[in-house]
Amino acid sequence: MSELDTLQTQLLQQIENASTLADLDSVRVSALGKKGIITEKMKSLGAMAPEERKAAGQQFNAVKNALAEAIETKKQQLEEAEINARLAREAVDITLPARPEKQGRIHPLYQTYDEVVAIFGQMGFEVAEGPDIEDDFHNFTALNTPKNHPARQMQDTFYLNGEENGEKFIVRTQTSAVQIRTMEKQTPPVRVIVPGRTYRCDYDATHAPMFHQVEGLIVDKETNMAHLKGCLTEFVKTFFELDDVPVRFRPSFFPFTEPSAEMDIGCSRTGGELKIGVGNDWLEILGCGMVHPNVLKACHIDPDVYQGFAFGIGLDRLAMLKYAIPDLRMFFESDMRWIKHYGFVALDIPSTGSGLSMTGGNKR
Ligand code: DAH
């Protein structure tokens, strides 16, 4: 065996014995590096006669290639072993039960929901509910929005596969549908609010395909527009916790109310900051109006005897405004970091001492 063969065998053995990538690399450097043993030996080629040099050169190259190949194979083995060891080390037992959160949070949307229900509750409104899956009649037709009415296009409706009497079911685009369901069941006086989910094909920082509204409806013999204004003004003052809020009612259009209005509240928008209740700018907050006689008729209520008002508020928008939440999409991501930041603590439970304390703030 030539000297070169012996050297090759020794180096291959060293490569095989390397137990880490660092070991392997030092073998590579010691053999093929700038000052490596093979590199040094190759320098002797220059002093050889041309025929001798050719043969020796081929031998050296064969050794170099064999070593490089062995190093590459070993490197792959070591890398794989390292990944396997890491996977074993960091294995997650997915059968373990989730670690409980020590303290849950109330979602800012449900905080807002509770506040709104409490305020209208004190004014004598009852909570009514209706199904998320609606039919065309309750969501549109009975609300004075017949087929081909342009107002239908204001709401990008999700249609479902199921149908009844040739009409496809939908997911409701507005809680106004519950006005009809309430008046079908109940004779006036009616005084309800309807908090609930609504759906439209829309998605950006201030719109989600599923969102929440609160509908309000009063029907009796003498309710008039002044009541509507008083009721909603009182609501925004209480909700935003302000002694006074400038309000204005702008003429608008909804098929189910006549006259219809949009309610704006006073605000300022200086330096990119929105402040409610001060300044000389306006912020749209809800839609409202006097219930259209056709809506009453659709529910077999005589519009010559009864009248009332209705309103619809975006609940998510109220939460965003009151609690300075810039992006609606995060509401529905179930990101614990977000909930911890924006959520509310329900109760303060002292870690020592006895009993529960109910005195803690429910604010962030
Ligand atoms: N349903 C309307 C919407 O989703 C909101 C609305 C406006 C409801 C005026 C009402 C109302 O009851 O009177 O855009």
Side-chain angles (χ1 to χ4, degrees):
M1 211 190 236
S2 76
E3 196 196 333
L4 192 58
D5 288 339
T6 316
L7 188 56
Q8 176 176 344
T9 316
Q10 279 172 3
L11 288 170
L12 286 174
Q13 193 58 52
Q14 284 179 25
I15 292 170
E16 187 49 41
N17 290 347
S19 56
T20 64
L21 285 165
D23 282 356
L24 181 66
D25 203 52
S26 54
V27 179
R28 182 188 63 79
V29 172
S30 73
L32 305 173
K34 256 192 191 152
K35 294 200 171 124
I37 186 159
I38 300 290
T39 319
E40 287 295 329
K41 280 198 178 299
M42 282 175 86
K43 287 181 184 159
S44 65
L45 285 172
M48 291 180 188
E51 315 81 69
E52 208 189 340
R53 189 189 303 147
K54 194 175 170 204
Q58 279 173 357
Q59 274 180 346
F60 274 123
N61 276 336
V63 172
K64 256 174 77 176
N65 291 343
L67 292 176
E69 202 174 301
I71 288 171
E72 189 51 40
T73 312
K74 187 71 186 178
K75 190 173 165 212
Q76 279 173 16
Q77 281 172 13
L78 289 174
E79 277 173 353
E80 200 177 308
E82 198 163 286
I83 289 175
N84 287 339
R86 201 167 147 204
L87 284 175
R89 213 169 44 237
E90 295 175 5
V92 175
D93 183 352
I94 56 165
T95 63
L96 281 176
R99 287 193 195 95
E101 282 286 324
K102 287 209 190 71
Q103 192 170 40
R105 288 282 195 283
I106 294 176
H107 194 291
L109 179 66
Y110 277 91
Q111 171 71 23
T112 308
Y113 183 113
D114 287 343
E115 289 173 20
V116 171
V117 168
I119 297 169
F120 284 113
Q122 288 208 326
M123 294 186 200
F125 286 80
E126 284 173 12
V127 171
E129 287 182 328
D132 287 20
I133 295 179
E134 260 302 356
D135 52 42
D136 191 273
F137 177 77
H138 291 92
N139 196 82
F140 290 122
T141 306
L143 285 161
N144 197 31
T145 320
K147 283 254 140 50
N148 305 321
H149 192 292
R152 285 196 181 208
Q153 274 145 32
M154 284 158 55
Q155 306 183 355
D156 250 328
T157 310
F158 285 118
Y159 289 89
L160 304 180
N161 284 333
E163 56 177 62
E164 199 176 54
N165 307 328
E167 297 282 5
K168 275 190 183 300
F169 286 114
I170 59 166
V171 273
R172 68 181 177 197
T173 61
Q174 48 189 355
T175 42
S176 309
V178 187
Q179 286 189 26
I180 305 301
R181 292 195 175 272
T182 305
M183 288 188 282
E184 281 174 339
K185 287 197 300 250
Q186 192 181 330
T187 48
V190 170
R191 185 179 286 216
V192 289
I193 52 157
V194 186
R197 292 192 191 103
T198 42
Y199 306 82
R200 286 182 207 174
C201 188
D202 217 348
Y203 189 64
D204 61 32
T206 52
H207 297 91
M210 189 277 296
F211 59 106
H212 298 77
Q213 290 187 332
V214 189
E215 190 79 13
L217 174 71
I218 290 196
V219 179
D220 64 23
K221 289 186 176 148
E222 270 147 25
T223 302
N224 60 43
M225 191 108 185
H227 296 137
L228 167 132
K229 286 174 127 180
C231 168
L232 293 176
T233 305
E234 202 48 41
F235 165 71
V236 287
K237 274 188 352 198
T238 317
F239 178 75
F240 288 109
E241 299 173 25
L242 295 166
D243 292 335
D244 201 17
V245 190
V247 298
R248 74 175 180 191
F249 289 80
R250 255 182 310 110
S252 184
F253 173 79
F254 299 101
F256 31 84
T257 43
E258 183 58 38
S260 302
E262 251 147 346
M263 180 185 185
D264 296 343
I265 54 177
C267 70
S268 79
R269 290 183 174 92
T270 40
E273 201 193 345
L274 176 73
K275 276 211 183 92
I276 290 172
V278 290
N280 44 17
D281 216 343
W282 295 101
L283 177 74
E284 183 192 319
I285 197 95
L286 55 86
C288 56
M290 300 305 294
V291 180
H292 196 292
N294 288 352
V295 175
L296 297 173
K297 278 190 220 153
C299 304
H300 309 291
I301 293 174
D302 184 351
D304 291 330
V305 181
Y306 292 104
Q307 59 187 27
F309 68 78
F311 56 87
I313 317 177
L315 200 53
D316 318 76
R317 190 165 135 75
L318 280 186
M320 289 170 81
L321 286 172
K322 183 160 175 181
Y323 297 115
I325 307 174
D327 194 324
L328 171 65
R329 290 168 292 199
M330 287 306 290
F331 274 54
F332 313 119
E333 291 286 316
S334 303
D335 185 328
M336 289 307 290
R337 294 164 303 178
W338 186 89
I339 303 262
K340 276 189 183 140
H341 181 76
Y342 285 111
F344 292 77
V345 176
L347 296 170
D348 272 352
I349 302 173
S351 49
T352 53
S354 58
L356 290 178
S357 158
M358 303 284 283
T359 54
N362 62 348
K363 295 279 153 59
R364 264 182 285 147

